[in-house]
Amino acid sequence: MLQAVPIKFSCIPAATHRDFYVARAATVVACQGLPHITIRGFGCSRNALQAQVSALGEVHEHLWSHPTVLDPATLLSIQEFYSRTQKKIAAPDLYQRKVGRNEDATGAAFHFQLERCLEHSVLELLERHLIWRLWQEDLKVHTITCQEWQLIPDSVHCLVAEGLPFCLAICATDSFVGIGAKLSTSLESALNGAIAEAIMIHDDYSQLNFRAAVRHRETVLAMRDARCRIQVLDHVKKLPASQDEPDLTMSIEFDALAARLRGQAQEIWTATLPCPSGYCVKSHSNSLRHYKDPGRSGIPPIPCYEYH
């Protein structure tokens, strides 16, 4: 039986830029016969309420996709995104990964509408794969020099890849570098999401007393090392850039975006998890790659924003 304490919130102006708010949410979960688990969620936005909503959504994503929360005996119904083929799998099978340096891509999302939840989950999966491709120098990118970037002290670059509404943002100061990414159906939304995530990561990881998850500690230490920061920034600057600033009004329908990217993913499976309030979906593809290990010598892993 699963028990959880009420979710606690905090929401304060971001240290990097006071026009943004960073929200933190946490709850403690107890499963029968298992140690207590702390589940955390984070959000960042120019709107304080939206930052808190994002933090709450991330708590749900982490909670209802956590392997110890799902009953191992539970059979989950999963559906292939393109063909709608359905099959049943055991809950633990959802978390099996291939052995090797490059992990399979996954994406998790929480929403009160199932259709939107599925879209957000698949967008996150594709976003992670696009970052992996970018770090392999396999994407044509354009540098954005729009007004948004003037708001962030010591900011470096924002990139849009191959005309897609996908942005990578880097927020750097003397003590740390935060990297955020967003794939959306509009370039403006992708830009705002990438900047907010870069600020959020910078605010949390730059704290010297911040206790990162074990799997992220080496990344956090690397991002505080000046040599590693320079390597990351130099790598991004070397990517092909265009003098033409992309039109921020560019948008694309989700179905059209999925169809355009279908050639990269032979299959995408989505699992709707047993979330009692709203919907939680986890997507997976064994033909897409995860960005946590860029596989390039001398370049540190990209900071990830996941907590378990």
PDB file of all heavy atoms in Angstrom, residues 59-82:
ATOM      1  N   VAL A  59       6.576  16.400  -9.792  1.00  0.00           N
ATOM      2  CA  VAL A  59       6.436  15.454  -8.679  1.00  0.00           C
ATOM      3  C   VAL A  59       5.617  14.248  -9.120  1.00  0.00           C
ATOM      4  O   VAL A  59       5.969  13.096  -8.855  1.00  0.00           O
ATOM      5  CB  VAL A  59       5.785  16.132  -7.456  1.00  0.00           C
ATOM      6  CG1 VAL A  59       5.333  15.081  -6.435  1.00  0.00           C
ATOM      7  CG2 VAL A  59       6.769  17.085  -6.787  1.00  0.00           C
ATOM      8  N   HIS A  60       4.507  14.505  -9.791  1.00  0.00           N
ATOM      9  CA  HIS A  60       3.669  13.405 -10.281  1.00  0.00           C
ATOM     10  C   HIS A  60       4.432  12.532 -11.287  1.00  0.00           C
ATOM     11  O   HIS A  60       4.331  11.301 -11.249  1.00  0.00           O
ATOM     12  CB  HIS A  60       2.403  13.965 -10.940  1.00  0.00           C
ATOM     13  CG  HIS A  60       1.323  14.323  -9.972  1.00  0.00           C
ATOM     14  ND1 HIS A  60       0.527  13.391  -9.355  1.00  0.00           N
ATOM     15  CD2 HIS A  60       0.916  15.536  -9.497  1.00  0.00           C
ATOM     16  CE1 HIS A  60      -0.340  13.977  -8.560  1.00  0.00           C
ATOM     17  NE2 HIS A  60      -0.132  15.289  -8.632  1.00  0.00           N
ATOM     18  N   GLU A  61       5.177  13.173 -12.192  1.00  0.00           N
ATOM     19  CA  GLU A  61       5.951  12.410 -13.172  1.00  0.00           C
ATOM     20  C   GLU A  61       6.922  11.463 -12.480  1.00  0.00           C
ATOM     21  O   GLU A  61       7.038  10.287 -12.842  1.00  0.00           O
ATOM     22  CB  GLU A  61       6.717  13.359 -14.095  1.00  0.00           C
ATOM     23  CG  GLU A  61       5.849  14.161 -15.032  1.00  0.00           C
ATOM     24  CD  GLU A  61       6.652  15.222 -15.764  1.00  0.00           C
ATOM     25  OE1 GLU A  61       7.901  15.089 -15.811  1.00  0.00           O
ATOM     26  OE2 GLU A  61       6.053  16.182 -16.282  1.00  0.00           O
ATOM     27  N   HIS A  62       7.648  11.971 -11.504  1.00  0.00           N
ATOM     28  CA  HIS A  62       8.646  11.156 -10.816  1.00  0.00           C
ATOM     29  C   HIS A  62       7.996  10.094  -9.929  1.00  0.00           C
ATOM     30  O   HIS A  62       8.487   8.978  -9.823  1.00  0.00           O
ATOM     31  CB  HIS A  62       9.557  12.051  -9.980  1.00  0.00           C
ATOM     32  CG  HIS A  62      10.425  12.947 -10.801  1.00  0.00           C
ATOM     33  ND1 HIS A  62      11.047  14.065 -10.297  1.00  0.00           N
ATOM     34  CD2 HIS A  62      10.762  12.901 -12.110  1.00  0.00           C
ATOM     35  CE1 HIS A  62      11.745  14.653 -11.249  1.00  0.00           C
ATOM     36  NE2 HIS A  62      11.577  13.965 -12.365  1.00  0.00           N
ATOM     37  N   LEU A  63       6.875  10.484  -9.297  1.00  0.00           N
ATOM     38  CA  LEU A  63       6.218   9.543  -8.391  1.00  0.00           C
ATOM     39  C   LEU A  63       5.629   8.360  -9.135  1.00  0.00           C
ATOM     40  O   LEU A  63       5.921   7.201  -8.814  1.00  0.00           O
ATOM     41  CB  LEU A  63       5.119  10.271  -7.608  1.00  0.00           C
ATOM     42  CG  LEU A  63       4.253   9.410  -6.679  1.00  0.00           C
ATOM     43  CD1 LEU A  63       5.118   8.732  -5.621  1.00  0.00           C
ATOM     44  CD2 LEU A  63       3.178  10.267  -6.006  1.00  0.00           C
ATOM     45  N   TRP A  64       4.816   8.636 -10.158  1.00  0.00           N
ATOM     46  CA  TRP A  64       4.080   7.552 -10.805  1.00  0.00           C
ATOM     47  C   TRP A  64       4.877   6.830 -11.886  1.00  0.00           C
ATOM     48  O   TRP A  64       4.372   5.903 -12.517  1.00  0.00           O
ATOM     49  CB  TRP A  64       2.759   8.076 -11.354  1.00  0.00           C
ATOM     50  CG  TRP A  64       1.933   8.644 -10.270  1.00  0.00           C
ATOM     51  CD1 TRP A  64       1.640   9.956 -10.049  1.00  0.00           C
ATOM     52  CD2 TRP A  64       1.323   7.932  -9.185  1.00  0.00           C
ATOM     53  NE1 TRP A  64       0.892  10.101  -8.911  1.00  0.00           N
ATOM     54  CE2 TRP A  64       0.677   8.873  -8.358  1.00  0.00           C
ATOM     55  CE3 TRP A  64       1.267   6.581  -8.825  1.00  0.00           C
ATOM     56  CZ2 TRP A  64      -0.023   8.516  -7.208  1.00  0.00           C
ATOM     57  CZ3 TRP A  64       0.568   6.221  -7.682  1.00  0.00           C
ATOM     58  CH2 TRP A  64      -0.062   7.179  -6.889  1.00  0.00           C
ATOM     59  N   SER A  65       6.125   7.244 -12.090  1.00  0.00           N
ATOM     60  CA  SER A  65       6.996   6.476 -12.974  1.00  0.00           C
ATOM     61  C   SER A  65       8.154   5.865 -12.190  1.00  0.00           C
ATOM     62  O   SER A  65       9.102   5.352 -12.776  1.00  0.00           O
ATOM     63  CB  SER A  65       7.545   7.365 -14.101  1.00  0.00           C
ATOM     64  OG  SER A  65       8.348   8.406 -13.590  1.00  0.00           O
ATOM     65  N   HIS A  66       8.059   5.925 -10.865  1.00  0.00           N
ATOM     66  CA  HIS A  66       9.118   5.364 -10.030  1.00  0.00           C
ATOM     67  C   HIS A  66       8.959   3.839  -9.939  1.00  0.00           C
ATOM     68  O   HIS A  66       7.870   3.349  -9.632  1.00  0.00           O
ATOM     69  CB  HIS A  66       9.066   5.976  -8.627  1.00  0.00           C
ATOM     70  CG  HIS A  66      10.345   5.836  -7.861  1.00  0.00           C
ATOM     71  ND1 HIS A  66      10.791   4.623  -7.387  1.00  0.00           N
ATOM     72  CD2 HIS A  66      11.276   6.751  -7.513  1.00  0.00           C
ATOM     73  CE1 HIS A  66      11.937   4.804  -6.753  1.00  0.00           C
ATOM     74  NE2 HIS A  66      12.253   6.081  -6.817  1.00  0.00           N
ATOM     75  N   PRO A  67      10.025   3.085 -10.193  1.00  0.00           N
ATOM     76  CA  PRO A  67       9.901   1.619 -10.218  1.00  0.00           C
ATOM     77  C   PRO A  67       9.365   1.027  -8.924  1.00  0.00           C
ATOM     78  O   PRO A  67       8.620   0.041  -8.951  1.00  0.00           O
ATOM     79  CB  PRO A  67      11.342   1.141 -10.479  1.00  0.00           C
ATOM     80  CG  PRO A  67      12.022   2.300 -11.114  1.00  0.00           C
ATOM     81  CD  PRO A  67      11.384   3.519 -10.541  1.00  0.00           C
ATOM     82  N   THR A  68       9.710   1.608  -7.769  1.00  0.00           N
ATOM     83  CA  THR A  68       9.269   1.018  -6.499  1.00  0.00           C
ATOM     84  C   THR A  68       7.811   1.350  -6.184  1.00  0.00           C
ATOM     85  O   THR A  68       7.200   0.695  -5.336  1.00  0.00           O
ATOM     86  CB  THR A  68      10.154   1.510  -5.340  1.00  0.00           C
ATOM     87  OG1 THR A  68      10.080   2.938  -5.278  1.00  0.00           O
ATOM     88  CG2 THR A  68      11.581   1.083  -5.525  1.00  0.00           C
ATOM     89  N   VAL A  69       7.252   2.359  -6.847  1.00  0.00           N
ATOM     90  CA  VAL A  69       5.852   2.705  -6.623  1.00  0.00           C
ATOM     91  C   VAL A  69       4.937   1.767  -7.396  1.00  0.00           C
ATOM     92  O   VAL A  69       3.858   1.400  -6.930  1.00  0.00           O
ATOM     93  CB  VAL A  69       5.596   4.176  -7.020  1.00  0.00           C
ATOM     94  CG1 VAL A  69       4.105   4.494  -7.000  1.00  0.00           C
ATOM     95  CG2 VAL A  69       6.347   5.108  -6.070  1.00  0.00           C
ATOM     96  N   LEU A  70       5.371   1.362  -8.585  1.00  0.00           N
ATOM     97  CA  LEU A  70       4.559   0.454  -9.390  1.00  0.00           C
ATOM     98  C   LEU A  70       4.646  -0.972  -8.847  1.00  0.00           C
ATOM     99  O   LEU A  70       5.730  -1.473  -8.555  1.00  0.00           O
ATOM    100  CB  LEU A  70       5.034   0.472 -10.849  1.00  0.00           C
ATOM    101  CG  LEU A  70       4.849   1.784 -11.608  1.00  0.00           C
ATOM    102  CD1 LEU A  70       5.449   1.675 -12.994  1.00  0.00           C
ATOM    103  CD2 LEU A  70       3.385   2.156 -11.695  1.00  0.00           C
ATOM    104  N   ASP A  71       3.518  -1.617  -8.704  1.00  0.00           N
ATOM    105  CA  ASP A  71       3.480  -3.008  -8.264  1.00  0.00           C
ATOM    106  C   ASP A  71       4.126  -3.892  -9.332  1.00  0.00           C
ATOM    107  O   ASP A  71       3.695  -3.874 -10.490  1.00  0.00           O
ATOM    108  CB  ASP A  71       2.025  -3.419  -8.047  1.00  0.00           C
ATOM    109  CG  ASP A  71       1.885  -4.816  -7.451  1.00  0.00           C
ATOM    110  OD1 ASP A  71       2.876  -5.579  -7.488  1.00  0.00           O
ATOM    111  OD2 ASP A  71       0.799  -5.126  -6.957  1.00  0.00           O
ATOM    112  N   PRO A  72       5.166  -4.668  -8.969  1.00  0.00           N
ATOM    113  CA  PRO A  72       5.831  -5.515  -9.966  1.00  0.00           C
ATOM    114  C   PRO A  72       4.893  -6.486 -10.673  1.00  0.00           C
ATOM    115  O   PRO A  72       5.160  -6.907 -11.794  1.00  0.00           O
ATOM    116  CB  PRO A  72       6.881  -6.272  -9.137  1.00  0.00           C
ATOM    117  CG  PRO A  72       7.107  -5.424  -7.939  1.00  0.00           C
ATOM    118  CD  PRO A  72       5.799  -4.759  -7.647  1.00  0.00           C
ATOM    119  N   ALA A  73       3.793  -6.830 -10.001  1.00  0.00           N
ATOM    120  CA  ALA A  73       2.851  -7.781 -10.594  1.00  0.00           C
ATOM    121  C   ALA A  73       1.874  -7.095 -11.556  1.00  0.00           C
ATOM    122  O   ALA A  73       1.114  -7.765 -12.247  1.00  0.00           O
ATOM    123  CB  ALA A  73       2.074  -8.498  -9.501  1.00  0.00           C
ATOM    124  N   THR A  74       1.910  -5.762 -11.605  1.00  0.00           N
ATOM    125  CA  THR A  74       0.970  -5.026 -12.445  1.00  0.00           C
ATOM    126  C   THR A  74       1.336  -5.153 -13.919  1.00  0.00           C
ATOM    127  O   THR A  74       2.493  -5.003 -14.296  1.00  0.00           O
ATOM    128  CB  THR A  74       0.954  -3.536 -12.053  1.00  0.00           C
ATOM    129  OG1 THR A  74       0.559  -3.409 -10.690  1.00  0.00           O
ATOM    130  CG2 THR A  74      -0.010  -2.755 -12.935  1.00  0.00           C
ATOM    131  N   LEU A  75       0.353  -5.445 -14.735  1.00  0.00           N
ATOM    132  CA  LEU A  75       0.546  -5.448 -16.174  1.00  0.00           C
ATOM    133  C   LEU A  75       0.122  -4.089 -16.717  1.00  0.00           C
ATOM    134  O   LEU A  75      -0.988  -3.609 -16.459  1.00  0.00           O
ATOM    135  CB  LEU A  75      -0.277  -6.555 -16.838  1.00  0.00           C
ATOM    136  CG  LEU A  75       0.239  -7.985 -16.680  1.00  0.00           C
ATOM    137  CD1 LEU A  75      -0.719  -8.960 -17.356  1.00  0.00           C
ATOM    138  CD2 LEU A  75       1.630  -8.125 -17.285  1.00  0.00           C
ATOM    139  N   LEU A  76       1.021  -3.450 -17.434  1.00  0.00           N
ATOM    140  CA  LEU A  76       0.738  -2.144 -18.023  1.00  0.00           C
ATOM    141  C   LEU A  76       0.389  -2.297 -19.499  1.00  0.00           C
ATOM    142  O   LEU A  76       1.015  -3.078 -20.214  1.00  0.00           O
ATOM    143  CB  LEU A  76       1.951  -1.222 -17.883  1.00  0.00           C
ATOM    144  CG  LEU A  76       2.391  -0.902 -16.462  1.00  0.00           C
ATOM    145  CD1 LEU A  76       3.645  -0.046 -16.499  1.00  0.00           C
ATOM    146  CD2 LEU A  76       1.295  -0.189 -15.692  1.00  0.00           C
ATOM    147  N   SER A  77      -0.596  -1.545 -19.939  1.00  0.00           N
ATOM    148  CA  SER A  77      -0.960  -1.526 -21.353  1.00  0.00           C
ATOM    149  C   SER A  77      -0.141  -0.448 -22.038  1.00  0.00           C
ATOM    150  O   SER A  77      -0.184   0.721 -21.646  1.00  0.00           O
ATOM    151  CB  SER A  77      -2.451  -1.249 -21.515  1.00  0.00           C
ATOM    152  OG  SER A  77      -2.794  -1.190 -22.881  1.00  0.00           O
ATOM    153  N   ILE A  78       0.642  -0.830 -23.038  1.00  0.00           N
ATOM    154  CA  ILE A  78       1.430   0.152 -23.789  1.00  0.00           C
ATOM    155  C   ILE A  78       0.983   0.145 -25.242  1.00  0.00           C
ATOM    156  O   ILE A  78       0.467  -0.845 -25.748  1.00  0.00           O
ATOM    157  CB  ILE A  78       2.947  -0.124 -23.674  1.00  0.00           C
ATOM    158  CG1 ILE A  78       3.321  -1.437 -24.360  1.00  0.00           C
ATOM    159  CG2 ILE A  78       3.395  -0.129 -22.222  1.00  0.00           C
ATOM    160  CD1 ILE A  78       4.828  -1.667 -24.427  1.00  0.00           C
ATOM    161  N   GLN A  79       1.179   1.276 -25.890  1.00  0.00           N
ATOM    162  CA  GLN A  79       0.700   1.453 -27.260  1.00  0.00           C
ATOM    163  C   GLN A  79       1.801   2.050 -28.123  1.00  0.00           C
ATOM    164  O   GLN A  79       2.468   2.991 -27.715  1.00  0.00           O
ATOM    165  CB  GLN A  79      -0.518   2.372 -27.255  1.00  0.00           C
ATOM    166  CG  GLN A  79      -1.072   2.697 -28.636  1.00  0.00           C
ATOM    167  CD  GLN A  79      -2.345   3.501 -28.557  1.00  0.00           C
ATOM    168  OE1 GLN A  79      -3.417   2.963 -28.342  1.00  0.00           O
ATOM    169  NE2 GLN A  79      -2.235   4.804 -28.744  1.00  0.00           N
ATOM    170  N   GLU A  80       1.979   1.486 -29.308  1.00  0.00           N
ATOM    171  CA  GLU A  80       2.945   2.050 -30.249  1.00  0.00           C
ATOM    172  C   GLU A  80       2.342   3.332 -30.808  1.00  0.00           C
ATOM    173  O   GLU A  80       1.206   3.352 -31.257  1.00  0.00           O
ATOM    174  CB  GLU A  80       3.232   1.050 -31.371  1.00  0.00           C
ATOM    175  CG  GLU A  80       4.628   1.207 -31.980  1.00  0.00           C
ATOM    176  CD  GLU A  80       4.686   2.369 -32.965  1.00  0.00           C
ATOM    177  OE1 GLU A  80       3.751   2.490 -33.782  1.00  0.00           O
ATOM    178  OE2 GLU A  80       5.666   3.142 -32.917  1.00  0.00           O
ATOM    179  N   PHE A  81       3.123   4.415 -30.746  1.00  0.00           N
ATOM    180  CA  PHE A  81       2.580   5.743 -30.997  1.00  0.00           C
ATOM    181  C   PHE A  81       2.060   5.904 -32.418  1.00  0.00           C
ATOM    182  O   PHE A  81       1.025   6.531 -32.646  1.00  0.00           O
ATOM    183  CB  PHE A  81       3.656   6.789 -30.698  1.00  0.00           C
ATOM    184  CG  PHE A  81       3.181   8.195 -30.857  1.00  0.00           C
ATOM    185  CD1 PHE A  81       2.322   8.756 -29.926  1.00  0.00           C
ATOM    186  CD2 PHE A  81       3.562   8.949 -31.947  1.00  0.00           C
ATOM    187  CE1 PHE A  81       1.865  10.056 -30.068  1.00  0.00           C
ATOM    188  CE2 PHE A  81       3.109  10.253 -32.106  1.00  0.00           C
ATOM    189  CZ  PHE A  81       2.265  10.805 -31.157  1.00  0.00           C
ATOM    190  N   TYR A  82       2.755   5.362 -33.397  1.00  0.00           N
ATOM    191  CA  TYR A  82       2.372   5.576 -34.786  1.00  0.00           C
ATOM    192  C   TYR A  82       1.302   4.585 -35.255  1.00  0.00           C
ATOM    193  O   TYR A  82       0.304   4.960 -35.844  1.00  0.00           O
ATOM    194  CB  TYR A  82       3.596   5.475 -35.699  1.00  0.00           C
ATOM    195  CG  TYR A  82       4.652   6.492 -35.385  1.00  0.00           C
ATOM    196  CD1 TYR A  82       5.900   6.109 -34.919  1.00  0.00           C
ATOM    197  CD2 TYR A  82       4.420   7.855 -35.557  1.00  0.00           C
ATOM    198  CE1 TYR A  82       6.883   7.050 -34.627  1.00  0.00           C
ATOM    199  CE2 TYR A  82       5.385   8.800 -35.269  1.00  0.00           C
ATOM    200  CZ  TYR A  82       6.609   8.390 -34.800  1.00  0.00           C
ATOM    201  OH  TYR A  82       7.568   9.310 -34.515  1.00  0.00           O
TER     202      TYR A  82
END
